[in-house]
Amino acid sequence: AQSVTQLGSHVSVSEGALVLLRCNYSSSVPPYLFWYVQYPNQGLQLLLKYTSAATLVKGINGFEAEFKKSETSFHLTKPSAHMSDAAEYFCAVRGDTGGGNKLTFGTGTQLKVEL
Amino acid sequence: DTEVTQTPKHLVMGMTNKKSLKCEQHMGHRAMYWYKQKAKKPPELMFVYSYEKLSINESVPSRFSPECPNSSLLNLHLHALQPEDSALYLCASSQDRVRVQGRTEAFFGQGTRLTVV
């Protein structure tokens, strides 16, 4: 079964600093990978997605992620953190089971942005 | 319109009550999902419907009963819940089976915050 692992349940950065949130996937075939963000008491919002068209994926709010097959990674980055980026971030993979409709999440990374 | 609408936003129910959560989307998606999310945890898949038929049931207790009356609506019927069922319940929808190249993402509603007393 396909899965994702997020390293670091909490990440703290200073405003203006680089944001790096880590995600590694487990898949025997090219996966469909996603990053979602969740603000307190809200649903999940899609930041970006990888669908094999390009290895460097740009998303909303200045975030981007690079798919590295050799490292089985799909890390999320943002050059300069803003206070409004403080939220929970989930990496997710859409698997082949259930007819290709099973979307499974990593354990999440809480991003804190400090002044 | 990329919106998934869930009602109600908040629900408090007793352990003997029967209630329903509702979800609606008008994006033409034929896959719809129910997730349960406890505080500080990732969403956990409960059910998946594909073309209005139940395709995945992640061994969810029978006190949760899903229903997909048509391609735009998804319900979750609740009966005899326990306090540990208190959580944020999220509905999502997507293209089924990645049929349309590139359109692989799921869209989520804002959730229903359920409290069982």
Side-chain angles (χ1 to χ4, degrees):
Chain A
Q2 293 171 320
S3 64
V4 288
T5 301
Q6 291 184 244
L7 297 176
S9 58
H10 292 83
V11 170
S12 184
V13 301
S14 299
E15 191 174 34
L18 172 72
V19 176
L20 172 60
L21 305 182
R22 300 178 187 274
C23 174
N24 288 87
Y25 67 90
S26 165
S27 174
S28 58
V29 298
Y32 293 101
L33 294 165
F34 310 87
W35 276 99
Y36 284 86
V37 61
Q38 186 176 33
Y39 297 98
N41 298 312
Q42 294 193 23
L44 280 75
Q45 180 182 12
L46 181 71
L47 278 176
L48 48 81
K49 62 182 180 182
Y50 170 73
T51 56
S52 76
T55 56
L56 183 62
V57 181
K58 293 189 184 299
I60 63 171
N61 301 340
F63 284 93
E64 62 182 37
E66 186 172 8
F67 177 78
K68 291 187 177 180
K69 186 177 179 180
S70 61
E71 299 176 8
T72 61
S73 68
F74 189 57
H75 300 333
L76 181 70
T77 61
K78 182 174 181 177
S80 177
H82 191 272
M83 296 296 288
S84 60
D85 295 325
E88 186 85 21
Y89 291 80
F90 293 100
C91 183
V93 61
R94 184 166 177 170
D96 290 335
T97 55
N101 287 336
K102 188 166 185 176
L103 183 66
T104 305
F105 290 87
T107 51
T109 298
Q110 181 72 46
L111 176 65
K112 183 178 179 181
V113 182
E114 299 174 316
L115 287 172
Chain B
D1 182 10
T2 57
E3 191 170 300
V4 176
T5 303
Q6 289 188 244
T7 55
K9 287 186 169 46
H10 301 274
L11 179 62
V12 179
M13 62 183 290
M15 289 188 284
T16 58
N17 291 160
K18 287 184 180 181
K19 296 287 185 182
S20 297
L21 308 185
K22 297 185 182 299
C23 174
E24 187 170 7
Q25 58 89 14
H26 296 287
M27 294 177 277
H29 290 164
R30 302 311 292 271
M32 296 187 75
Y33 312 73
W34 279 115
Y35 283 85
K36 174 182 178 180
Q37 186 178 27
K38 302 285 275 186
K40 308 295 185 185
K41 296 291 186 183
E44 295 178 13
L45 184 64
M46 300 174 72
F47 303 103
V48 180
Y49 272 83
S50 174
Y51 285 84
E52 295 90 71
K53 294 191 188 312
L54 185 65
S55 62
I56 297 178
N57 177 343
E58 294 285 83
S59 302
V60 178
S62 60
R63 58 186 183 269
F64 295 91
S65 176
E67 177 196 22
C68 191
N70 61 53
S71 61
S72 299
L73 295 174
L74 185 66
N75 298 322
L76 186 63
H77 302 298
L78 314 172
H79 175 54
L81 294 193
Q82 302 297 310
E84 59 264 30
D85 296 321
S86 299
L88 181 67
Y89 288 84
L90 294 164
C91 173
S93 71
S94 73
Q95 295 284 357
D96 178 76
R97 300 185 188 189
V98 197
R99 286 181 182 274
V100 180
Q101 186 176 6
R103 298 188 183 180
T104 58
E105 67 271 32
F107 294 87
F108 284 79
Q110 293 298 293
T112 294
R113 175 71 62 187
L114 174 68
T115 302
V116 181
V117 297

